[in-house]
Amino acid sequence: MASPGAAGSIRLDKLLWYLRFARSRSIAQAMVAAGHIRLDGRRVTRASTAVHAGATLVLPVGERIEVIRLLTVPARRGPAPEAQSCYVRLEDRGSSAAS
């Protein structure tokens, strides 16, 4: 079986789990289904949506909103430093920001 990065894309729910934004794939699927994730500026509601390196994701993390750019497609759910090396944070929006 080929590694997830071999095709150059990965399912969104699996990506969130690999990058440790969700504790399980079922939680990642629920986040996506609820419409809490944006991929390249559009809201995504299908967990099977393919994500490629270079994609920009906007997602809730606790009470913050994270904006990240995917640098590489992870091959596995490894330790946190390995997961963090696959993306770069573009901006953090705190919950206390004025609207």
Side-chain angles (χ1 to χ4, degrees), residues 14-26:
K14 204 170 194 180
L15 176 73
L16 295 173
W17 181 57
Y18 278 8
L19 295 182
R20 297 181 169 271
F21 286 112
R23 289 181 180 225
S24 68
R25 278 188 68 188
S26 60

Side-chain angles (χ1 to χ4, degrees), residues 14-95:
K14 204 170 194 180
L15 176 73
L16 295 173
W17 181 57
Y18 278 8
L19 295 182
R20 297 181 169 271
F21 286 112
R23 289 181 180 225
S24 68
R25 278 188 68 188
S26 60
I27 291 172
Q29 290 168 350
M31 288 171 57
V32 176
H36 295 309
I37 310 294
R38 291 193 179 270
L39 174 63
D40 292 330
R42 62 182 169 80
R43 189 166 60 139
V44 180
T45 56
R46 290 182 50 223
S48 63
T49 301
V51 183
H52 305 276
T56 302
L57 290 163
V58 179
L59 56 136
V61 178
E63 295 185 11
R64 300 184 326 268
I65 301 294
E66 292 278 343
V67 181
I68 64 166
R69 172 149 304 130
L70 187 63
L71 300 174
T72 60
V73 176
R76 66 185 186 124
R77 179 177 164 90
E82 181 180 319
Q84 291 167 350
S85 70
C86 293
Y87 65 89
V88 62
R89 284 187 172 93
L90 299 179
E91 100 186 44
D92 286 331
R93 297 182 192 160
S95 61

